[in-house]
Amino acid sequence: MKNVSLKAIVFTGLSALAMSCSSHDELLVESQPSAQSAVSKEALKVKTYKIRYGLLSKSGAKILSGNYDVGSFIAKNTHTGVVYDTYYSGGFQSLPQYYEGIPAGTYVFSAMQGQGGWVGYGSVSALVSDTQVDADGYVTVYIPISWEE
């Protein structure tokens, strides 16, 4: 009986010691922010831009209103290959359309044909940066209409 009681006391003491060490270590880690984590957080902050999509008619007129047979507007970064898509499941969309959160860089902008197939779109290459931001706070991109019925 003494042997069992002694083992129980030793086990309880060792368990308490182990738990106090592990929780103390966790407190030390949580209370001491590292310089590396601060740098990592700064590196993750990337400036992004708001894109306003419009269309460019076959005659060269810029269009920022009306409904058009657009499936989606697409921006593909020429350096990284990352694609930003406004995907609205096809069909007619009203203009302008917007996309928020595109990082600076060179992009190929295009539009997917909508459900009706009444309009075909080309593409345009453009730089997204501070110098392209207009008075409204957007980088406005006009996608050319290649053909329409």
Side-chain angles (χ1 to χ4, degrees):
M1 182 78 166
K2 287 183 186 181
N3 198 10
V4 172
S5 296
L6 181 60
K7 286 181 182 178
I9 292 172
V10 170
F11 177 75
T12 304
L14 288 175
S15 296
L17 179 63
M19 295 198 50
S20 67
C21 287
S22 66
S23 63
H24 181 66
D25 289 343
E26 288 172 359
L27 288 175
L28 287 177
V29 170
E30 290 177 8
S31 66
Q32 297 176 355
S34 68
Q36 182 181 9
S37 66
V39 170
S40 297
K41 288 179 184 176
E42 285 300 315
L44 290 176
K45 292 181 183 179
V46 175
K47 184 172 183 178
T48 60
Y49 297 87
K50 299 182 287 185
I51 305 297
R52 175 173 43 200
Y53 286 101
L55 296 175
L56 187 63
S57 75
K58 290 174 28 176
S59 65
K62 294 178 178 178
I63 305 167
L64 279 177
S65 63
N67 292 317
Y68 288 85
D69 190 16
V70 177
S72 180
F73 289 98
I74 300 167
K76 182 176 182 180
N77 186 300
T78 59
H79 179 70
T80 64
V82 175
V83 174
Y84 300 90
D85 187 351
T86 63
Y87 187 70
Y88 288 105
S89 72
F92 284 86
Q93 293 188 42
S94 61
L95 294 179
Q97 287 293 315
Y98 300 94
Y99 190 93
E100 294 192 24
I102 292 182
T106 302
Y107 291 84
V108 173
F109 293 95
S110 60
M112 290 176 45
Q113 196 173 40
Q115 289 179 348
W118 301 108
V119 182
Y121 303 97
S123 62
V124 62
S125 182
L127 177 67
V128 173
S129 69
D130 288 335
T131 58
Q132 278 69 41
V133 177
D134 60 22
D136 295 334
Y138 295 98
V139 175
T140 303
V141 177
Y142 294 94
I143 307 298
I145 294 174
S146 298
W147 57 268
E148 55 190 329
E149 291 183 28

